[in-house]
Amino acid sequence: MFDNISIKKSQAEFFQKNDITEFPCFCIARQGGRTAMEILTRALIMEGRYAYLGQNLTGLRSMGTNSFVIRFGESPEIPPGISLNNPKGILIMHDAMLSAKKGLDSFMTQLSPQDAMAQLKTGILMVSTAKAPEELVYPFSFEGTVATVDAEAVFSKRIGIQPAPSGIATLGLFAAATDNLLSLDTLKEAVMAHERLDIKVREANVLCLEDAFHQTKIVHNMKFEAPEQEAVDLQKIERRSISTKWRRKLPVCNTAKCNCAGCASAYYCPEAAISWKDENMDINYDVCKACGTCMVECVRDAITMEDAEKTTSLQKQQGEY
């Protein structure tokens, strides 16, 4: 008879027998995580490994948290899927995920950061954050290697886009923390081979990758004790995407200029955040990622990107947010 325990045990034995390495990875939507994971997979293949990338892009056009599982080894017998079997570590591309309670993002994804962190008792914890490893507050019991780097700051310094799509820079953290499990040179080569990016963008991201690699802080044999779990009232959960923690500016529409019969900005919005309310454009800031696509696509130049905190404060004063 099959049961959960025997299946889980047989899966772990299969991974160990075939020497399959597995890492779950999590990013905020539009953070550049998908591109980064595609590059990581290509780099592994370039070094002669067999690799599989499982992706779970969630919600309204990838709203919220995007989940990935990368598996690789010397054997072609690598199981598909995004369930966790025998993870060697975890890569978290934004530290907001460390403290996120089960809410909108967790309900929308098959594999949440909280699920993965709860399963990972030992191994390598990699977090893109401005904090040093010793400053992290981790929500589960864990013992092993902890590595951090401020990939957003690295990217912003080199390229200057806000919010920073720093996924590729985070691969420098991965290379450093895994003790050159994958060489930095191969990663750089894989970035330069990624045809979807403009050549100058690739070159700039290679520099970010190198910076993140050299700036990564690593502490071995760290130990986190699980804090007491507080009860979660599902009725009081803030139903807002975790991606809102990533943004610095928000789109604001000048309604005096907004007089199109059809709105290109709404059509191209990757999060379906734009609608009409009282015959005026309405932007749902609960899901808006502040990518700026609407500003670029607006044919009337009616949309500008304004400071996020000031924008939401004004909306609250007017009772609109």
Side-chain angles (χ1 to χ4, degrees), residues 36-158:
M37 297 310 297
E38 290 172 352
I39 289 170
L40 177 58
T41 304
R42 179 185 290 222
L44 289 164
I45 294 172
M46 289 169 63
E47 288 199 346
R49 272 79 164 260
Y50 292 92
Y52 169 83
L53 176 62
Q55 307 180 53
N56 183 41
L57 310 179
T58 63
L60 296 172
R61 301 194 182 185
S62 305
M63 184 178 73
T65 319
N66 286 346
S67 310
F68 306 87
V69 173
I70 180 76
R71 300 188 183 120
F72 55 94
E74 307 301 324
S75 168
E77 298 182 16
I78 300 178
I82 63 166
S83 62
L84 292 186
N85 297 276
N86 189 33
K88 302 290 185 180
I90 183 172
L91 175 62
I92 297 176
M93 296 189 182
H94 197 290
D95 59 4
M97 298 176 193
L98 294 178
S99 58
K101 297 178 181 178
K102 282 190 174 293
L104 179 61
D105 297 284
S106 296
F107 292 134
M108 295 173 65
T109 178
Q110 298 175 34
L111 176 63
S112 73
Q114 290 73 32
D115 294 332
M117 289 186 288
Q119 289 189 50
L120 188 71
K121 304 300 182 183
T122 185
I124 307 171
L125 171 63
M126 298 165 279
V127 184
S128 176
T129 176
K131 297 178 181 178
E134 300 90 342
E135 297 173 321
L136 288 182
V137 176
Y138 196 66
F140 299 97
S141 296
F142 173 83
E143 186 170 2
T145 297
V146 180
T148 65
V149 74
D150 193 348
E152 284 195 19
V154 167
F155 184 93
S156 297
K157 183 177 180 180
R158 286 281 185 186

Side-chain angles (χ1 to χ4, degrees), residues 47-296:
E47 288 199 346
R49 272 79 164 260
Y50 292 92
Y52 169 83
L53 176 62
Q55 307 180 53
N56 183 41
L57 310 179
T58 63
L60 296 172
R61 301 194 182 185
S62 305
M63 184 178 73
T65 319
N66 286 346
S67 310
F68 306 87
V69 173
I70 180 76
R71 300 188 183 120
F72 55 94
E74 307 301 324
S75 168
E77 298 182 16
I78 300 178
I82 63 166
S83 62
L84 292 186
N85 297 276
N86 189 33
K88 302 290 185 180
I90 183 172
L91 175 62
I92 297 176
M93 296 189 182
H94 197 290
D95 59 4
M97 298 176 193
L98 294 178
S99 58
K101 297 178 181 178
K102 282 190 174 293
L104 179 61
D105 297 284
S106 296
F107 292 134
M108 295 173 65
T109 178
Q110 298 175 34
L111 176 63
S112 73
Q114 290 73 32
D115 294 332
M117 289 186 288
Q119 289 189 50
L120 188 71
K121 304 300 182 183
T122 185
I124 307 171
L125 171 63
M126 298 165 279
V127 184
S128 176
T129 176
K131 297 178 181 178
E134 300 90 342
E135 297 173 321
L136 288 182
V137 176
Y138 196 66
F140 299 97
S141 296
F142 173 83
E143 186 170 2
T145 297
V146 180
T148 65
V149 74
D150 193 348
E152 284 195 19
V154 167
F155 184 93
S156 297
K157 183 177 180 180
R158 286 281 185 186
I159 301 178
I161 298 175
Q162 287 293 342
S166 53
I168 296 176
T170 308
L171 294 181
L173 165 66
F174 182 90
T178 56
D179 196 23
N180 295 316
L181 182 66
L182 178 65
S183 79
L184 180 63
D185 286 341
T186 304
L187 273 173
K188 289 160 60 177
E189 187 178 349
V191 173
M192 293 305 299
H194 198 73
E195 301 88 349
R196 200 166 71 232
L197 300 177
D198 179 84
I199 186 64
K200 291 185 178 180
V201 175
R202 291 180 239 172
E203 292 171 347
N205 271 285
V206 164
L207 295 175
C208 293
L209 178 68
E210 289 182 314
D211 289 346
F213 178 86
H214 294 298
Q215 293 177 29
T216 294
K217 302 180 180 69
I218 303 174
V219 176
H220 299 289
N221 302 315
M222 275 194 69
K223 188 174 182 178
F224 293 104
E225 297 290 348
E228 292 185 10
Q229 296 296 314
E230 59 180 306
V232 177
D233 184 348
L234 298 182
Q235 300 299 320
K236 296 181 179 179
I237 290 176
E238 184 178 29
R239 313 300 282 185
R240 188 175 302 166
S241 169
I242 193 174
S243 300
T244 60
K245 298 178 182 294
W246 178 51
R247 63 199 185 186
R248 299 292 182 272
K249 294 186 177 182
L250 285 171
V252 175
C253 179
N254 180 347
T255 56
K257 293 183 177 181
C258 180
N259 57 4
C260 295
C263 181
S265 296
Y267 178 81
Y268 285 105
C269 176
E271 311 303 338
I274 299 174
S275 60
W276 275 261
K277 182 178 181 182
D278 299 328
E279 299 185 356
N280 287 318
M281 173 189 274
D282 181 65
I283 302 174
N284 185 350
Y285 291 141
D286 281 351
V287 297
C288 174
K289 306 301 179 299
C291 63
T293 301
C294 58
M295 180 185 69
V296 174

